[in-house]
Amino acid sequence: MDARPDSPCKTALIFGISGQDGAYLARLLLADGYRVHGTSRDREMSGFANLVQLGLKAQVGLHSAVLTDFRSVIEVIDRVRPDEIYNLAAQSSVGLSFDQPAETVNGCLIGTLNILEAIRFLKLKTRFYSAASSECYGNTGATPADETTPFHPRSPYGVGKAAAFWAVANYREAYGLFACSGILFNHESPLRPARYVTQKVVRGAADIADKKRDRLTLGALDVARDWGWAPDYVEAMARMLRHDRPEDFVIATGETHTLEAFVAEVFAQFGLNWRDHVDSDRALLRPSDISYSAGNPEKAQRLLNWRAEARMPQIVAQLVAAEIARRRSPDPSDG
């Protein structure tokens, strides 16, 4: 999947560089010869743990910016004058969005609008990538969702991402901006925070294997997701901004697995039978959730020459290997 930048020494600005996707995208762009800048709400207070873990912090220009504050956004964009902007910021937990609905929706929509308006106001030729989500679709049913599938979000997070998607489309059509959205299905890595269910499963199984506990309690095990590998998916982001025209793309593996299958694969990696250790508690269910989520990446394969390299069993193996390595050399700051 070779797709290098057209010319050396391009400049990229990543809003949300401290997150999982931001850190992996920074690594990719630096390897491609970019000058990379990134933001957090307060660069002096943020430890940028993911950049540190990947050995990148010293190679990135770091700035403070609050996406919901237009002045903050336009100042950093004007200072950096990037060729490419990636918006990976905002609250990213679906579960937490039910507890913080206004902040989640506001962050997704207003933050995206502020970047779009800053590009327009400054009359820049900057190419803009916005992180949409499979959560926009809600339940996809048996037919995998593509770029024409209607949205029916089932969480405040999905509502905010859907609104931001249409804002990007509007600025692209109304003002001719090179602006596009990547509709990414679930994608994992060792940089995921512990609150995400994939990390909860991996760390819980590791604890059981280490005799630190005997049980792991989860919500519904019959939910199904299209799980990918985050380093694969940031490659798709970069390819969207190197495409000859701005278009939206579904990014997925095209394979869907139940959480039960994911759990079974994780426990098998530790030589355990998950049925001996896992409980399901309906009290952990969200007010509304997606039972089945499947993506169709055909357009990305056809136009971007992109396809997911890692599938669920390989993803689990890499997550488990990383967790074992983490326990052998624990980071004092790791929660």
Side-chain angles (χ1 to χ4, degrees), residues 140-335:
T140 63
T143 302
D146 63 18
E147 295 77 9
T148 65
T149 302
F151 289 166
H152 188 169
R154 294 176 56 82
S155 68
Y157 175 78
V159 169
K161 286 295 188 180
F165 174 92
W166 290 117
V168 171
N170 178 250
Y171 269 71
R172 181 172 64 228
E173 295 166 6
Y175 302 114
L177 298 189
F178 194 111
C180 57
S181 294
I183 309 172
L184 272 61
F185 280 68
N186 294 60
H187 48 292
E188 311 302 325
S189 82
L191 300 186
R192 273 289 191 214
R195 69 174 179 267
Y196 284 78
V197 68
T198 48
Q199 281 297 317
K200 185 177 180 180
V201 171
V202 171
R203 295 186 184 206
D207 282 344
I208 292 169
D210 289 343
K211 310 297 184 185
K212 294 181 178 179
R213 60 197 286 194
D214 188 58
R215 311 297 302 175
L216 174 64
T217 302
L218 301 170
L221 295 174
D222 58 350
V223 297
R225 298 289 185 268
D226 184 326
W227 274 296
W229 185 239
D232 285 349
Y233 283 34
V234 299
E235 175 76 31
M237 298 176 191
R239 286 172 183 243
M240 287 182 214
L241 295 196
R242 296 169 193 172
H243 190 44
D244 55 5
R245 62 181 182 177
E247 298 188 55
D248 306 317
F249 290 90
V250 166
I251 302 302
T253 69
E255 296 181 2
T256 298
H257 301 271
T258 63
L259 179 58
E260 180 180 305
F262 184 94
V263 170
E265 188 74 29
V266 170
F267 274 75
Q269 290 279 328
F270 289 100
L272 299 169
N273 184 340
W274 71 274
R275 296 182 185 278
D276 297 333
H277 302 282
V278 177
D279 302 308
S280 180
D281 185 352
R282 296 193 64 83
L284 296 179
L285 301 182
R286 297 165 182 164
S288 61
D289 203 354
I290 297 171
S291 59
Y292 195 93
S293 180
N296 177 3
E298 186 276 333
K299 181 181 175 182
Q301 293 173 358
R302 176 168 44 86
L303 297 184
L304 303 179
N305 192 29
W306 179 90
R307 60 187 54 81
E309 299 292 345
R311 304 305 169 95
M312 192 271 280
Q314 293 78 32
I315 291 164
V316 166
Q318 293 178 90
L319 292 175
V320 168
E323 178 62 16
I324 292 172
R326 185 183 73 86
R327 289 171 182 245
R328 290 174 178 168
S329 303
D331 181 346
S333 67
D334 182 42

Side-chain angles (χ1 to χ4, degrees), residues 60-126:
V60 175
L62 297 171
H63 309 264
S64 298
V66 178
L67 272 178
T68 51
D69 177 1
F70 180 68
R71 177 176 175 175
S72 173
V73 171
I74 198 169
E75 283 185 347
V76 71
I77 292 175
D78 192 30
R79 188 181 313 129
V80 174
R81 293 272 164 161
D83 299 287
E84 299 174 1
I85 292 176
Y86 297 85
N87 180 19
L88 312 179
Q91 196 284 107
S92 61
S93 169
V94 176
L96 185 60
S97 77
F98 285 99
D99 297 325
Q100 300 176 358
E103 180 179 348
T104 300
V105 174
N106 192 52
C108 290
L109 176 57
I110 303 303
T112 302
L113 279 171
N114 281 342
I115 296 172
L116 289 163
E117 189 63 8
I119 294 171
R120 188 182 76 87
F121 183 82
L122 294 170
K123 297 180 172 60
L124 300 178
K125 297 298 184 183
T126 302

